[in-house]
Amino acid sequence: MSIRNGLFSSESVSEGHPDKLADRISDRILDAFLARDRHARVACETLLADQCVIVAGEFRTKDSADYTAVRESAEGLVREVLYETGYTNAETGIDPQRCEIQIRFNGQSQDINQGVDRADGVLGAGDQGLMFGYATDETPELMPAPIVYAHRLVRRQAEVRKVGTLPWLQPDAKSQVSFRYVDGQPTRIEAVVLSTQHDENIALEELRAEVWKNIIAPVIPEHLRAGNLRCLINPTGRFVTGGPKGDAGLTGRKIIVDTYGGAAPHGGGPFSGKDPSKVDRSAAYMARFLAKQVVSRGWARRALVQVGYAIGVADPVSFSIETYGTEASGRRDIAAVLAQEFDLRPQGIIETLNLLRPIYYPTASYGHFGREDLDLPWEAVI
């Protein structure tokens, strides 16, 4: 994002949004595989539509018993995610107890596997593609300000719903925050949008007043509110039908919410449901890790890292870093320095970030980056 002067918006969605619900289910299945086999190969996709959940994908484990165990527990894991998210019956969006669940697990293609688990013992990239990582000093999290505050709004919505402060809230919600940038820095918030699913018996005027009081006001600091702040709460006036009943959900449809809110490019590959051999996920995490090193070390105020891979090949086919003219004095070839310091092959990334663990389910909501509530290795600064 190269905006210097003007408005920039980012959105987020709650854990009960249908697409996020799909991401959560896919990552719950992934974690179940990794808990049994650190080297499991997982590519899990989830589709939700009304009262139906379909979980499908390609999987490989060293011991067939591990595959069978996860396959047999998958339906229970899906129902657990639905309950944990806050759905209780069909009227709220999906019935965890009675909804139809279809499990369609296949083995990983041998054509793919021979390029990943190579005969020479080298781990090849699980797919081709390009990945991006970004960091900026405009927030303590080294994240763009619009996505930080958009995430905070829907997290707050979930918090007040779960503790019963606003018992008429339901799990599905979306937020959007628009910042005014001046000379490349976020200065004030000029628009906030929050749409939240709710019970039918709450009046719109009361809903808007309580959402402002309990969600928006505690999240949006007074010093950041523009004098002409526009606050749009449930602008359509009604949001009773939500979750998979209101809209189908699919793994990987919220990749901009997962990353930088549109402030940086995205290579196109989603994260959820993929084991670390898939560079769509692991290399994107490494790119974020490297971008954070650049900014935290004072080499630049902003950094965009791009890395590219070919399926079955260990060494990246491209690696570059853009600092948007914010590089500190004492110029250096940042990409060359980091390439010498860190191993960008898939195995090197996995070892550097310690990725062969069931740590992915919590990342499926509220973004994969800038998460101060989680101990994520790609957020470390060294």
Side-chain angles (χ1 to χ4, degrees):
M1 196 250 307
S2 58
I3 184 171
R4 288 192 55 80
N5 296 287
L7 286 168
F8 188 86
S9 302
S10 293
E11 73 161 349
S12 184
V13 298
S14 69
E15 61 198 57
H17 185 281
D19 292 331
K20 276 289 119 195
L21 202 53
D23 288 340
R24 284 162 60 80
I25 290 169
S26 292
D27 271 340
R28 177 61 72 88
I29 298 296
L30 168 64
D31 278 359
F33 272 101
L34 293 178
R36 299 188 67 95
D37 180 354
R38 297 173 66 245
H39 298 283
R41 300 291 177 243
V42 178
C44 184
E45 311 286 349
T46 301
L47 167 68
L48 302 102
D50 198 0
Q51 302 304 304
C52 180
V53 182
I54 301 172
V55 184
E58 296 75 45
F59 310 86
R60 179 185 291 267
T61 58
K62 186 177 298 185
D63 188 334
S64 61
D66 292 327
Y67 173 93
T68 301
V70 178
R71 169 65 180 81
E72 292 177 348
S73 67
E75 180 177 331
L77 294 174
V78 171
R79 298 192 192 279
E80 285 178 10
V81 172
L82 298 178
Y83 274 115
E84 290 173 6
T85 307
Y87 289 107
T88 56
N89 53 54
E91 286 67 38
T92 61
I94 189 167
D95 188 328
Q97 186 174 354
R98 296 180 177 84
C99 68
E100 176 187 3
I101 298 177
Q102 299 181 27
I103 307 298
R104 298 288 185 267
F105 282 11
N106 297 311
Q108 185 187 47
S109 164
Q110 180 56 40
D111 293 348
I112 295 175
N113 182 256
Q114 69 181 0
V116 178
D117 300 308
R118 296 181 354 188
D120 60 4
V122 174
L123 182 69
D127 202 352
Q128 74 171 50
L130 55 150
M131 301 84 207
F132 292 93
Y134 183 70
T136 172
D137 67 355
E138 64 189 61
T139 63
E141 300 92 337
L142 301 187
M143 289 286 288
I147 190 65
V148 167
Y149 283 92
H151 283 324
R152 288 178 182 175
L153 285 170
V154 284
R155 290 194 67 174
R156 177 71 179 177
Q157 188 270 358
E159 290 169 3
V160 299
R161 172 177 62 84
K162 291 176 180 179
V163 301
T165 303
L166 301 179
W168 36 264
L169 287 177
Q170 294 295 340
D172 196 354
K174 298 181 73 173
S175 67
Q176 187 166 300
V177 176
S178 299
F179 263 86
R180 171 71 62 179
Y181 277 75
V182 177
D183 294 330
Q185 290 298 309
T187 60
R188 62 186 182 272
I189 296 171
E190 295 198 6
V192 173
V193 183
L194 185 69
S195 296
T196 179
Q197 185 189 8
H198 57 88
D199 290 348
E200 192 163 13
N201 59 4
I202 183 72
L204 179 60
E205 295 77 12
E206 181 183 359
L207 180 148
R208 286 174 171 167
E210 293 297 322
V211 166
W212 167 261
K213 175 184 175 182
N214 292 282
I215 299 176
I216 297 176
V219 168
I220 305 300
E222 288 191 24
H223 73 275
L224 286 179
R225 300 176 196 170
N228 60 341
L229 175 67
R230 298 180 65 198
C231 189
L232 304 174
I233 301 171
N234 280 32
T236 65
R238 175 183 168 90
F239 188 0
V240 173
T241 303
K245 186 176 182 179
D247 192 10
L250 186 65
T251 299
R253 280 207 301 209
K254 287 293 177 284
I255 57 177
I256 301 303
V257 171
D258 285 342
T259 54
Y260 308 101
H266 192 292
F271 301 154
S272 291
K274 297 179 180 179
D275 75 85
S277 73
K278 278 72 172 176
V279 286
D280 278 341
R281 183 169 213 159
S282 56
Y285 289 168
M286 189 65 177
R288 162 66 176 173
F289 175 79
L290 295 178
K292 283 198 71 172
Q293 309 315 305
V294 173
V295 176
S296 64
R297 294 176 182 184
W299 294 351
R301 294 178 57 196
R302 294 167 56 206
L304 176 71
V305 175
Q306 189 209 50
V307 62
Y309 293 86
I311 187 169
V313 179
D315 290 306
V317 297
S318 69
F319 176 51
S320 64
I321 299 178
E322 170 62 56
T323 57
Y324 304 95
T326 67
E327 192 170 343
S329 59
R331 293 186 59 85
R332 61 181 65 80
D333 187 338
I334 295 177
V337 172
L338 292 179
Q340 186 173 14
E341 183 176 353
F342 298 103
D343 186 350
L344 300 183
R345 295 173 298 177
Q347 187 62 44
I349 292 172
I350 289 170
E351 292 175 356
T352 297
L353 301 181
N354 192 17
L355 296 180
L356 297 181
R357 298 177 289 151
I359 59 174
Y360 300 102
Y361 178 59
T363 69
S365 303
Y366 313 120
H368 294 244
F369 307 126
R371 295 292 299 273
E372 296 185 332
D373 59 313
L374 301 175
D375 184 19
L376 300 177
W378 51 90
E379 290 298 309
V381 172
I382 61 175

